[in-house]
Amino acid sequence: MFLGIDVGTGGTRALLIDRSGRVLASHSAVHANISSPQIGWAEQDPEDWWRAAQLAIAGCLKAANHPKIESIALTGQMHGCVMLDAAGQVLRPALIWCDQRTQPQCDWLHSTIGRERLIQLVANPALPNFTLTKLLWARENEPATFDKIAHVLCPKDFVRLRLTGVYAMDMQEASGTLLLDVVHRRWSNEVAAAAGIPMQWLPPLFEGPEICARISAEGAAATGLAAGTPVAAGAGDQGAGAVGMGILAPGSVSATIGTSGVVFAATAAPTLDPLGRLHTFCHAAPGIWHVMGVTNGAGLSLRYLKETFYIESSYDELTALAATAPPASDGLLWAPYLFGERTPHLDPNARAAFVGITASHTRAHFVRAVLEGVAFSLNDTFTLFRDLNIPVTKIRLGGGGARSPLWSQIQADVYNHPVELLEAEEGAAFGAALLAGTGVNAWPSVAGACEATIRPARTITPQHATAMAEAYTHYRNLYGVLKLV
């Protein structure tokens, strides 16, 4: 039995599977709300992740009647910057993935290193989401804190530290720090030196299924796990989620709608976008890479709509309402830039908007426009894939967007491509559990783990591709107009 632990944005989930991929138990614990002391800021307390992880793990073990677990692996929200002192104590709340305050630090990196040179060194340009820019913000704005830093981790790696006492990070997660030489799968001495980041702050690197630690006596006492249980390096949520969906071979693509939305394509070699609009990262499986486009406000858009305007309605009621509006929402468009935007605009100052409102639009139109706007935003990544000759032969859906029949159909229509749903899409925690099992040779490789456990359920074909293509043309004009406002 293998345990995957997903330290997400809204909560932590523990998931237990067996060698056939059958889910034996799972349990989740909610995190405290994101703190946003200023517009564009997003912070969380790492100790709150550890609190939630203890509850999730203990709850999962209890639900499974305290089984013997062969190995575990962690996954979680990427890019968050956990600053620790020499004793491993948290110095300040973590700046998480959707924090947008660090554009000045991005500009400094581009002027200091050169934007093109930075892409050559770490495969990506500087973006506010990435970990390095957050460290530079702390140096400039909180020098007393910066001077105390001895270790830097990402969210799930902090939870592993509490479980094992070991500092470690996997290649896929490290790709999102802006400090990894993605092509050669090692820390970039040149970028760290140029940015003034001591190399000793950075943890040892491991491939996703590689055993990097074992549960400590303290971790065992806090969670109920057995001391000495092997812990694989795991991956960031997007890498682990792709493993859990079997996205390993070139041509295989996933479109996942969670809080953010991601279109993820496996590649046999590093594929760089010269303009930096796509992220190029190491994959969670050794020897392969991936590209991905990200929209920050995917599921976040629907949650914002519900909590602001439809607070009495459930999500099922909202999607049922949206189904009564026609495809393309009679011209109503939603730009989902609630937290700025990554792909393709790389603009932390982008803002969301409804455009094209008329007296004929109903509550149903507004909900459907949000579902379609998110899909249009993800389709921007498919447009870049075509421009860069990245093959797309198979698309699998994940996240909340895959659990909604309407949103799944909208995605098939917008992408104008059949999309697959899996028999059991359990997200990043499932992929982490597969990495854990691979690490102790339950399967010969990550690909072997996927072949043994992942089963497609059905395919959805496009029904309204023409209407969606016309609406997408209008959507593509939104950003340029909104940017002038």
Side-chain angles (χ1 to χ4, degrees):
M1 299 181 189
F2 313 108
L3 185 69
I5 303 166
D6 180 6
V7 184
T9 305
T12 292
R13 183 188 187 206
L15 179 83
L16 186 67
I17 68 169
D18 63 16
R19 290 176 186 240
S20 71
R22 182 169 58 104
V23 174
L24 304 176
S26 70
H27 193 80
S28 299
V30 176
H31 294 162
N33 289 335
I34 295 172
S35 173
S36 186
Q38 297 186 36
I39 292 174
W41 290 26
E43 299 181 352
Q44 289 183 314
D45 178 6
E47 295 293 358
D48 188 62
W49 303 331
W50 173 228
R51 173 199 59 81
Q54 293 174 71
L55 293 173
I57 294 167
C60 185
L61 297 181
K62 181 179 179 181
N65 196 25
H66 301 282
K68 176 176 171 52
I69 294 173
E70 293 181 60
S71 59
I72 75 169
L74 292 100
T75 182
Q77 54 167 304
M78 296 182 66
H79 313 304
C81 184
V82 183
M83 305 174 208
L84 305 171
D85 65 16
Q89 298 305 304
V90 176
L91 290 169
R92 71 167 326 279
L95 282 66
I96 65 169
W97 62 273
C98 52
D99 191 286
Q100 296 293 309
R101 78 185 74 175
T102 64
Q103 187 59 48
Q105 288 70 40
C106 296
D107 296 339
W108 181 84
L109 280 168
H110 287 154
S111 65
T112 300
I113 299 175
R115 194 175 190 277
E116 292 184 1
R117 179 58 178 162
L118 188 62
I119 293 174
Q120 291 172 355
L121 291 170
V122 293
N124 298 279
L127 298 176
N129 311 86
F130 290 152
T131 313
L132 173 58
T133 69
K134 298 169 170 62
L135 284 172
L136 298 179
W137 180 90
R139 181 173 66 191
E140 183 175 339
N141 294 276
E142 297 179 355
T145 297
F146 186 85
D147 289 344
K148 295 176 184 176
I149 296 174
H151 303 281
V152 178
L153 294 175
C154 289
K156 64 109 168 50
D157 303 310
F158 172 77
V159 172
R160 174 171 39 239
L161 174 66
R162 290 290 182 262
L163 282 169
T164 68
V166 172
Y167 296 92
M169 190 177 294
D170 64 277
M171 297 292 180
Q172 198 270 337
E173 179 83 70
S175 301
T177 66
L178 208 63
L179 286 160
L180 188 80
D181 177 347
V182 170
V183 172
H184 299 102
R185 303 173 92 96
R186 63 193 180 198
W187 293 121
S188 172
N189 287 284
E190 184 171 339
V191 171
I197 302 301
M199 290 296 294
Q200 61 265 30
W201 288 6
L202 306 178
L205 291 168
F206 298 87
E207 294 290 353
E210 192 174 355
I211 300 302
C212 65
R214 294 181 180 272
I215 298 297
S216 67
E218 294 80 6
T223 61
L225 292 166
T229 302
V231 179
D237 55 0
Q238 298 307 322
V243 169
M245 297 173 69
I247 307 302
L248 294 173
S252 61
V253 177
S254 62
T256 304
I257 296 176
T259 303
S260 63
V262 175
V263 178
F264 180 115
T267 60
T271 303
L272 304 185
D273 175 12
L275 300 180
R277 297 162 297 177
L278 296 173
H279 300 338
T280 299
F281 288 178
C282 300
H283 206 311
I288 59 174
W289 286 260
H290 71 84
V291 291
M292 67 180 187
V294 182
T295 181
N296 286 337
L300 178 66
S301 289
L302 185 59
R303 186 170 75 218
Y304 172 81
L305 186 77
K306 176 189 182 304
E307 293 180 354
T308 307
F309 301 107
Y310 298 82
I311 196 166
E312 301 301 326
S313 300
S314 68
Y315 287 108
D316 287 343
E317 289 170 339
L318 286 183
T319 54
L321 180 65
T324 66
S329 302
D330 286 324
L332 183 62
L333 294 168
W334 165 248
Y337 309 141
L338 290 167
F339 263 112
E341 188 55 301
R342 285 202 251 180
T343 307
H345 306 303
L346 307 179
D347 184 359
N349 298 313
R351 292 294 178 258
F354 283 107
V355 176
I357 302 171
T358 71
S360 300
H361 287 125
T362 67
R363 296 172 76 245
H365 287 89
F366 280 89
V367 183
R368 185 173 190 116
V370 165
L371 302 181
E372 292 176 345
V374 170
F376 289 147
S377 183
L378 293 175
N379 198 44
D380 283 343
T381 295
F382 284 103
T383 300
L384 292 179
F385 283 179
R386 287 192 290 272
D387 292 345
L388 296 170
N389 297 315
I390 296 169
V392 177
T393 57
K394 174 177 65 181
I395 301 174
R396 286 178 170 171
L397 301 187
R403 290 188 284 274
S404 164
L406 176 61
W407 219 345
S408 297
Q409 184 63 60
I410 286 172
Q411 289 186 82
D413 294 339
V414 169
Y415 310 150
N416 192 19
H417 196 288
V419 296
E420 285 186 354
L421 299 179
L422 298 178
E423 189 176 286
E425 198 279 295
E426 294 287 350
F430 185 85
L434 295 184
L435 293 172
T438 304
V440 292
N441 300 315
W443 302 287
S445 63
V446 178
C450 293
E451 291 170 5
T453 60
I454 296 170
R455 293 169 283 273
R458 64 190 184 96
T459 300
I460 299 173
T461 58
Q463 295 181 1
H464 307 289
T466 301
M468 289 293 99
E470 182 178 352
Y472 178 64
T473 299
H474 297 304
Y475 171 86
R476 293 271 285 179
N477 295 324
L478 286 184
Y479 172 75
V481 174
L482 294 172
K483 188 175 176 62
L484 299 177
V485 174

